Amino acid sequence: MAFLWMERTKQGGSYSRQRAESENHVVVCATQLQTDVIMDFLNEFYAHPKLQDYFVVLLAPSELDNNLRRILSVPLWAQRVMYIQGSALKDQDLVRAKVDDAEGCFILASRNEANPAAVVSPGLIFL
């Protein structure tokens, strides 16, 4: 029971201001957390030697499934990745992820979607 409470607290938490000011981080926004998409992103991102010290903040409205939770608890990822349950369309969630201090922001679309732009939001404009 205590483990579940701690996990829920982490998901509803925020990336600390102190960490945001002292570490480089990027925010990854997704509408769905698909393990293969997230792992492909992380492996590709960390393949670059200059990005080894960056921290990744995952921001998505859905809860982590057991498979992704298990993967992100492996020390390699647990020290580099934080998950925050929230939406890129809500200002308070972007503040919790410290997007204003981030070095970059990535938006991941579902691989199974015929029209990836439709997954993100009708309120976003693509140029």
Side-chain angles (χ1 to χ4, degrees):
M1 190 69 126
F3 175 75
L4 287 174
W5 180 79
M6 286 175 48
E7 284 297 311
R8 297 244 179 210
T9 302
K10 276 197 246 179
Q11 290 179 9
S14 60
Y15 186 63
S16 76
R17 174 65 54 196
Q18 180 181 0
R19 285 187 82 170
E21 292 172 352
S22 64
E23 299 176 342
N24 290 325
H25 80 285
V26 296
V27 178
V28 177
C29 303
T31 54
Q32 298 176 356
L33 291 173
Q34 296 174 311
T35 303
D36 60 334
V37 174
I38 299 298
M39 292 313 301
D40 285 349
F41 173 84
L42 292 173
N43 287 319
E44 186 72 24
F45 182 80
Y46 286 117
H48 195 287
K50 291 185 178 180
L51 300 176
Q52 294 300 308
D53 293 331
Y54 276 66
F55 199 80
V56 172
V57 177
L58 295 175
L59 179 65
S62 58
E63 289 189 21
L64 290 175
D65 65 19
N66 288 335
N67 190 34
L68 193 53
R69 179 178 287 118
R70 200 171 23 257
I71 291 169
L72 294 180
S73 68
V74 171
L76 171 68
W77 301 120
Q79 297 174 1
R80 295 173 151 183
V81 181
M82 176 186 188
Y83 170 70
I84 297 176
Q85 188 171 4
S87 171
L89 301 176
K90 294 183 179 176
D91 289 342
Q92 69 267 24
D93 293 336
L94 293 172
V95 169
R96 289 176 36 229
K98 304 298 184 273
V99 170
D100 57 333
D101 292 319
E103 298 294 320
C105 184
F106 299 88
I107 299 175
L108 301 182
S110 171
R111 285 190 180 147
N112 302 328
E113 183 62 38
N115 181 7
V119 174
V120 179
S121 170
L124 294 179
I125 299 172
F126 293 89
L127 301 175

